[in-house]
Amino acid sequence: MALAGVCGARRACKDERGSAMHNFKENMIKRFFMLNGLLSIVILLGIFYLLLSRSLPALQEVGLKNFFAPGYWKPTAFATPQYSMLNLIRGTFMVGAGSLLFAVPLGVACATYLAEVAGSREREVLKPIIEILAGIPSVVLGFFGLVVLSPIIAQIFGLNSGINALNGSILVGIMALPTIVSLAEDAISAVPQSYRHASLALGATRWQTILRVILPAALSGIIAASMLGMGRAVGETMTVLMATGNALAKPGSFFDSVRTLSANIAIEMGEVPMGSIHYHSLFFVGLVLFIITFVINLLADIIFQRYREEF
Amino acid sequence: MLRMSRAMGKKRMFLFTFVLLVLVVLTVSMTGCGTQAKAPEPQAKAPETQAKAPETQAKAPETTGGQGTQAGPQSIQIRGSDSEVNLVQRLAEVFMEENKNVQIAVTGGGSGTGIAALIDGTIDIANSSRPMKEDEINLARKNGIEPVPVRFAVDGVAVIVNAGNPVEALSVTEIGAIFRGEITNWKEVGGEDSPIGLYGRQSNSGTYVFFMETVLKGDYSPQMRNMGGNADIVEAVSADKTGIGYVAIGYVTDGGKVRPGIKPVNVSKNPGETGYSPIILENITGGKYPITRPLYQFLNGKPEGAIKDFIMFELSERGQKIILEQGFYPLTDEDKKFNENSLK
């Protein structure tokens, strides 16, 4: 911090000289960053356009209705191909919601500990470690799920196989954890000290303060964090592909095998003949996935903006 | 802003920068490796190898230390069938031992993936455990690629169950009904009263297509779990007492012994007949085991140079012996005739 202070002071000195050259530089830098910002919008629109244009032939050939009609996803069927995405969408939401059920309580508790309870040294150690979780390659987590976690799940719940939606949910929950912890911690830390002081002064215990004052005050941030975590979970591919079994049947419970939209694309994209209806249908699956994650992220943003407490 | 202003800010920024740096270094070194990946081994032996290659020597005798980017070692890219990947890898290792100027990279991904890559012209040889489909051949020709099939080994697709399952034998008819989802309880085929857990491959797998067309003759049950590879199925069936799956024979045995936790069932053509085990050579070569198939490699045009040498090595007596050691089976006379026709 001390170092930063010195630098800041030096810059201030330079600014006082206020050369035209400096202003020009400043402008250029501003433009550069604006262009970068615009670029991401252009890329986003480009992806949307690509998905839409590539999926149009499938929409014409198969028809929008058939993608959402009851049935199965089996474009390479022995007899008649079917293109129903219903079970895939169900699977996607099951894994997404399941991962939240696992990750939100854990993540919020963890964030509360980091922000409110832990000393600065514990925080310094724990926070990077949690962030390392985000760096575990998804294929490693998937393998872990297949070989280690699924037999444990099977044993605990007395199932024949632990390769199911629950397995995928837990693994994806682990992946979403760093996002949720980090954002929720920011939200909790943003609650002004005066709230804490007031609560404690009124005779509330630390536990009561956290539960009744701080968490409600940080709620919008926590919800936004959870939804961003869900956005991440819905799009997760490799782990889910390896851990959930990818069965096409309608999942009845978390103990059934599911196939998600993203896993479906990953499974079939490698071998699909270019330009076939199957190929274009996969782009439509991608478009639906894109819309789902877009809506989730948008909702997260709206919640965060609208209900943000202005401290 | 908030994060930065906190006491942790500096430390985290440092950590962040550090991780970023590591990532950058990794990326750079990996892209570097990317071009070298084809030839990681001969690097140490590079001087010798290049000394043999007269062209390289003449061009740049002093660059022996670097990668032979000019004429260097010849590289062969092979991709496809998960059933074949370990087998071809082993063949390639032995071949490379004797032909140090040839580099062979073998990757899996499924037969469909290999064929798609051959059609796109990104590889030299596609491993496939199923024949190419008509429209795939047409697509390849449209891209200026002439697929030439070679059969290099024989596979008995094994139907495996958990080692604790009392069922010893099944007929092809029963297996078909089980995987179509018509038989859903083990007691219907002489086992315990428990539901059947189905494990199969994904649609990019040649084994998936082969099994669907020759055994099921219909659609897979939607209840079937679609696993990423043969090894995943072995893993899952060994953990699931009620499981049944199908894998290439090379994945059933390890060093001549059946892997722990699984059991290949004896298969008969029709219900009531004697079933035969896929792990006995005579049952395959004598045509008693009903679910056998040739393993294919697809080339682009008639093979030449190193590719031809490699194919000939696979088909030679030594190559066939390695195939047997790896748990697969040597070619039949019919397969050899097929190759003669194809390579003529």
Side-chain angles (χ1 to χ4, degrees):
Chain A
M1 272 295 129
L3 234 159
V6 172
C7 291
R10 235 181 242 163
R11 196 172 296 152
C13 300
K14 251 188 193 166
D15 276 352
E16 272 166 33
R17 285 178 219 152
S19 65
M21 185 65 195
H22 185 80
N23 276 338
F24 175 72
K25 236 186 188 168
E26 193 94 328
N27 264 331
M28 288 308 284
I29 290 170
K30 240 187 225 167
R31 291 243 170 93
F32 175 71
F33 281 110
M34 195 183 79
L35 274 179
N36 280 314
L38 284 178
L39 188 68
S40 61
I41 296 177
V42 169
I43 291 174
L44 191 74
L45 288 177
I47 290 175
F48 186 76
Y49 171 75
L50 180 93
L51 286 173
L52 192 66
S53 64
R54 287 283 165 94
S55 51
L56 275 181
L59 284 172
Q60 281 165 357
E61 200 73 32
V62 180
L64 188 65
K65 211 178 74 195
N66 288 331
F67 278 111
F68 299 99
Y72 299 109
W73 176 267
K74 42 178 184 182
T76 53
F78 188 77
T80 38
Q82 279 185 34
Y83 293 89
S84 167
M85 288 166 53
L86 283 187
N87 292 342
L88 304 182
I89 295 173
R90 275 191 195 107
T92 305
F93 275 106
M94 269 175 81
V95 172
S99 69
L100 281 196
L101 287 180
F102 173 79
V104 168
L106 207 62
V108 172
C110 188
T112 313
Y113 173 75
L114 283 177
E116 294 296 318
V117 185
S120 64
R121 187 175 294 173
E122 284 131 19
R123 202 180 311 160
E124 261 172 59
V125 175
L126 279 176
K127 209 149 183 198
I129 291 178
I130 290 165
E131 267 151 39
I132 286 173
L133 266 186
I136 299 177
S138 53
V139 67
V140 173
L141 264 182
F143 186 72
F144 171 79
L146 187 64
V147 177
V148 181
L149 190 59
S150 76
I152 295 175
I153 289 175
Q155 204 159 29
I156 290 176
F157 296 99
L159 306 169
N160 291 317
S161 170
I163 302 172
N164 53 25
L166 180 65
N167 193 8
S169 296
I170 292 176
L171 294 167
V172 173
I174 292 173
M175 298 189 82
L177 210 50
T179 313
I180 294 176
V181 171
S182 162
L183 292 172
E185 197 215 346
D186 282 347
I188 292 168
S189 303
V191 176
Q193 278 298 330
S194 57
Y195 282 39
R196 289 180 190 85
H197 294 158
S199 171
L200 293 171
L202 285 170
T205 62
R206 209 166 168 197
W207 170 245
Q208 286 169 330
T209 307
I210 290 174
L211 206 64
R212 304 268 172 82
V213 177
I214 295 173
L215 287 185
L219 194 63
S220 70
I222 291 172
I223 291 174
S226 309
M227 299 209 61
L228 284 177
M230 169 121 177
R232 170 118 173 67
V234 164
E236 173 48 40
T237 308
M238 199 59 210
T239 308
V240 177
L241 176 68
M242 294 174 79
T244 57
N246 308 306
L248 293 164
K250 180 179 171 181
S253 75
F254 275 97
F255 298 139
D256 286 339
S257 169
V258 295
R259 183 185 288 206
T260 64
L261 292 166
S262 57
N264 188 57
I265 297 172
I267 288 170
E268 295 180 355
M269 209 43 165
E271 48 102 21
V272 65
M274 273 246 250
S276 62
I277 301 173
H278 186 185
Y279 173 84
H280 291 295
S281 312
L282 286 179
F283 275 94
F284 184 65
V285 174
L287 184 67
V288 171
L289 182 62
F290 180 80
I291 291 171
I292 291 174
T293 46
F294 186 80
V295 167
I296 290 174
N297 285 334
L298 194 69
L299 282 179
D301 210 49
I302 290 172
I303 290 172
F304 189 66
Q305 295 299 335
R306 178 165 302 173
Y307 301 104
R308 184 169 50 177
E309 306 262 343
E310 295 292 347
F311 300 124
Chain B
M1 276 316 351
L2 201 114
R3 236 185 252 183
M4 299 282 293
S5 61
R6 293 219 308 279
M8 286 288 302
K10 219 165 71 181
K11 199 135 205 170
R12 291 200 46 208
M13 274 308 281
F14 171 74
L15 200 85
F16 180 72
T17 322
F18 178 73
V19 170
L20 208 73
L21 250 167
V22 169
L23 270 178
V24 167
V25 170
L26 267 176
T27 321
V28 168
S29 60
M30 263 158 81
T31 34
C33 281
T35 45
Q36 295 176 7
K38 291 171 197 165
E41 225 179 78
Q43 217 164 359
K45 299 163 191 160
E48 294 170 42
T49 326
Q50 297 212 338
K52 278 179 205 154
E55 290 171 46
T56 332
Q57 217 176 8
K59 270 184 204 156
E62 69 278 354
T63 58
T64 37
Q67 269 305 307
T69 40
Q70 299 101 329
Q74 267 189 291
S75 83
I76 304 175
Q77 293 285 336
I78 306 180
R79 188 179 307 161
S81 172
D82 178 72
S83 304
E84 296 176 22
V85 65
N86 289 346
L87 176 62
V88 175
Q89 179 69 47
R90 180 75 201 130
L91 286 163
E93 277 166 14
V94 177
F95 182 78
M96 284 189 289
E97 271 299 301
E98 289 154 26
N99 300 272
K100 300 232 189 271
N101 61 331
V102 180
Q103 277 307 312
I104 305 178
V106 188
T107 47
S111 303
T113 315
I115 288 172
L118 184 78
I119 292 172
D120 291 340
T122 55
I123 54 168
D124 303 303
I125 301 175
N127 286 339
S128 177
S129 59
R130 62 166 170 87
M132 268 175 90
K133 294 170 191 161
E134 197 61 42
D135 53 343
E136 286 170 338
I137 294 174
N138 290 337
L139 210 57
R141 289 199 177 128
K142 225 167 71 184
N143 287 359
I145 281 157
E146 183 58 43
V148 173
V150 175
R151 293 175 177 179
F152 71 104
V154 171
D155 178 26
V157 177
V159 176
I160 56 168
V161 295
N162 188 277
N165 193 322
V167 173
E168 295 289 339
L170 291 169
S171 69
V172 172
T173 326
E174 285 168 331
I175 295 168
I178 287 173
F179 276 95
R180 284 193 304 269
E182 291 157 17
I183 295 178
T184 56
N185 196 306
W186 279 110
K187 73 178 177 197
E188 293 174 63
V189 289
E192 289 166 351
D193 181 9
S194 71
I196 299 177
L198 299 175
Y199 296 90
R201 293 284 303 282
Q202 297 163 356
S203 57
N204 60 353
S205 152
T207 316
Y208 172 99
V209 176
F210 169 82
F211 208 73
M212 179 166 82
E213 285 172 353
T214 57
V215 179
L216 271 72
K217 300 192 173 72
D219 279 324
Y220 284 107
S221 159
Q223 302 288 346
M224 181 176 81
R225 287 181 164 87
N226 299 72
M227 312 299 285
N230 287 284
D232 297 19
I233 293 184
V234 171
E235 185 71 45
V237 171
S238 68
D240 183 350
K241 282 200 192 73
T242 66
I244 184 169
Y246 54 84
V247 292
I249 189 65
Y251 286 82
V252 174
T253 53
D254 186 16
K257 276 195 214 121
V258 174
R259 283 172 199 272
I262 58 163
K263 180 174 76 175
V265 294
N266 298 336
V267 181
S268 62
K269 282 200 182 80
N270 299 301
E273 291 176 6
T274 325
Y276 293 95
S277 166
I279 56 172
I280 297 164
L281 174 65
E282 288 73 37
N283 290 349
I284 305 288
T285 50
K288 286 175 179 160
Y289 187 76
I291 323 172
T292 61
R293 57 175 178 176
L295 295 178
Y296 289 92
Q297 287 186 321
F298 289 93
L299 319 169
N300 176 15
K302 306 275 180 231
E304 282 166 15
I307 296 176
K308 184 175 184 183
D309 292 345
F310 180 59
I311 298 291
M312 285 307 156
F313 169 74
E314 290 181 319
L315 302 181
S316 73
E317 215 157 290
R318 277 199 55 215
Q320 295 293 306
K321 205 174 142 235
I322 294 169
I323 285 166
L324 194 60
E325 282 165 9
Q326 292 296 305
F328 288 87
Y329 297 110
L331 294 172
T332 63
D333 290 339
E334 189 202 326
D335 296 326
K336 285 176 187 159
K337 211 169 277 169
F338 175 91
N339 286 340
E340 268 170 37
N341 254 330
S342 179
L343 294 171
K344 172 172 72 182

